[in-house]
Amino acid sequence: MRTNPLIVLTGSYTKDSGGDGPGIAALRLDPTTGHLSYDEVEPLPVSGASYLAAHPSLPVVYSTNETETGTVSAVTRDGGLSPLGDPMSSGGANPCHLTVHPDGEWLLTANYGSDTAPGTVAVHRLGADGRLLEPTDLVVHQGAGPVTGRQEGSHAHQVLVAPAGRFVLATDLGADTVFTYRLDTRAGTLERVAVNEMRAGSGPRHLAFSPDGALVFSADELSSTVTCHRYDAGTGTLTALSSVPATTAEDVVNQPGAIVASPCGRYVWVTNRGADTVAAFRLAGSTLEPLGEVPAGGTWPRGLALVDGHLLVANQHSGSLAVLRVLDDGTPTQPHPPVSAPSVVCALAL
């Protein structure tokens, strides 16, 4: 475990995107105690900064700008937070997730869409200094599901690169589907190689891979479940193995938000919006066994990040960032009171 303080960047909804947050702010995390404090770096007013991703080798961070017009931004963190070039179109409405390819040359963005615009996944080329260059591809998702008001059309919610680097997976909450693509790393284009249909009405939101890449865990927003899938690294296909409720809370409408897996491969954690908890699970073979739930340190826990034995929980509605220490048996506990973070929705440890 590290002993020097870690920089944690938070992303939040700003006034022009329906929130009260500053955009991107910097904090320091003491990895020994789990104590959070604000850094002296001035916040950067990035509109609708609902998800952040770091470049693998440069001091650059990318942010979604979650609005109907949809843009993405590059931010340098060398000596402070400052824009790196101008925001660029995300290729769709309401971009909600992005990731950088491990080679550092491509940014992939999931656009949720809207009532009239479908979900899409975009690819941008990145410059040698990390700045956003031209878009190189845009794929449009098709599909719908049975949940009225949420699944009339497609809604891409996450895009991530599989551990082997061969395929890119994109969840679609509206279509009850995880689409698998092959990224051409010379041209920056996406070729669809698999269409993984999930349970009808489940609404797959976010995925997390096991450390060996053999399993994929999904946080299913609309059915309030967590599902374990076998992943075939040769074909990019998913096969559901088991599913458990995301929370034991009764008489509450619950929507799982984020999901992370432990580096040891034994534990999975999920945020529960509605129950306002973080649920812990132990992996037994291909079955997730509930370990219990703890308060999230606020209301509507959306973002979740694992760093040095701590879980960072972004509680959107209460505007608080909580730190949960993970014990040896996988259960989390709250060592410190949460810090104020208006309209916070994600946290990124650097």
Side-chain angles (χ1 to χ4, degrees):
M1 179 181 290
R2 309 178 210 181
T3 56
N4 294 329
L6 299 171
I7 296 297
V8 174
L9 299 183
T10 58
S12 59
Y13 287 120
T14 46
K15 289 189 182 299
D16 59 348
S17 60
D20 295 306
I24 300 178
L27 297 90
R28 287 184 177 270
L29 170 69
D30 184 327
T32 302
T33 65
H35 180 70
L36 271 174
S37 59
Y38 274 93
D39 194 81
E40 66 274 7
V41 172
E42 288 293 320
L44 187 65
V46 175
S47 175
S50 63
Y51 201 83
L52 306 175
H55 192 283
S57 59
L58 298 172
V60 178
V61 170
Y62 303 91
S63 174
T64 55
N65 308 138
E66 192 173 333
T67 62
E68 285 286 333
T69 52
T71 57
V72 288
S73 298
V75 174
T76 178
R77 55 180 182 83
D78 189 8
L81 297 173
S82 57
L84 180 62
D86 295 326
M88 297 192 69
S89 171
S90 65
N94 297 306
C96 56
H97 189 273
L98 42 69
T99 191
V100 186
H101 191 271
D103 67 11
E105 296 182 5
W106 310 99
L107 180 73
L108 300 113
T109 304
N111 294 286
Y112 184 83
S114 66
D115 290 341
T116 56
T120 64
V121 174
V123 185
H124 285 82
R125 190 184 303 272
L126 299 177
D129 62 352
R131 73 180 59 239
L132 292 160
L133 299 179
E134 75 278 8
T136 56
D137 202 6
L138 180 72
V139 293
V140 180
H141 287 181
Q142 303 291 334
V147 180
T148 303
R150 297 298 307 277
Q151 293 189 312
E152 279 74 14
S154 64
H155 294 301
H157 220 306
Q158 185 196 37
V159 57
L160 74 165
V161 180
R166 183 179 184 188
F167 295 127
V168 171
L169 277 65
T171 64
D172 197 295
L173 182 148
D176 286 326
T177 300
V178 176
F179 296 96
T180 304
Y181 299 96
R182 180 183 290 109
L183 174 67
D184 184 327
T185 54
R186 293 172 299 176
T189 54
L190 293 169
E191 174 193 2
R192 185 177 294 177
V193 296
V195 177
N196 301 286
E197 296 182 356
M198 305 289 104
R199 294 187 315 278
S202 60
R205 177 185 172 92
H206 275 200
L207 306 176
F209 275 91
S210 61
D212 62 3
L215 300 174
V216 171
F217 311 104
S218 64
D220 311 318
E221 178 172 331
L222 302 183
S223 61
S224 187
T225 54
V226 182
T227 302
C228 176
H229 311 261
R230 179 182 297 111
Y231 176 67
D232 187 326
T235 61
T237 54
L238 300 177
T239 303
L241 301 175
S242 63
S243 186
V244 293
T247 179
T248 58
E250 299 179 353
D251 301 323
V252 62
V253 177
N254 186 68
Q255 298 177 16
I259 184 168
V260 295
S262 66
C264 68
R266 295 194 299 268
Y267 307 112
V268 174
W269 302 278
V270 177
T271 56
N272 283 306
R273 298 169 299 164
D276 293 334
T277 62
V278 174
F281 301 88
R282 179 195 298 113
L283 186 65
S286 61
T287 301
L288 291 168
E289 299 177 341
L291 284 175
E293 296 176 60
V294 297
T299 56
W300 210 251
R302 177 163 165 170
L304 186 67
L306 177 66
V307 54
D308 277 12
H310 294 85
L311 293 167
L312 305 180
V313 188
N315 293 290
Q316 180 182 350
H317 289 177
S318 59
S320 56
L321 184 66
V323 180
L324 307 182
R325 180 182 293 117
V326 178
L327 303 181
D328 290 341
D329 64 357
T331 57
T333 183
Q334 189 165 298
H336 291 286
V339 299
S340 175
S343 300
V344 66
V345 283
C346 68
L348 172 66
L350 301 171

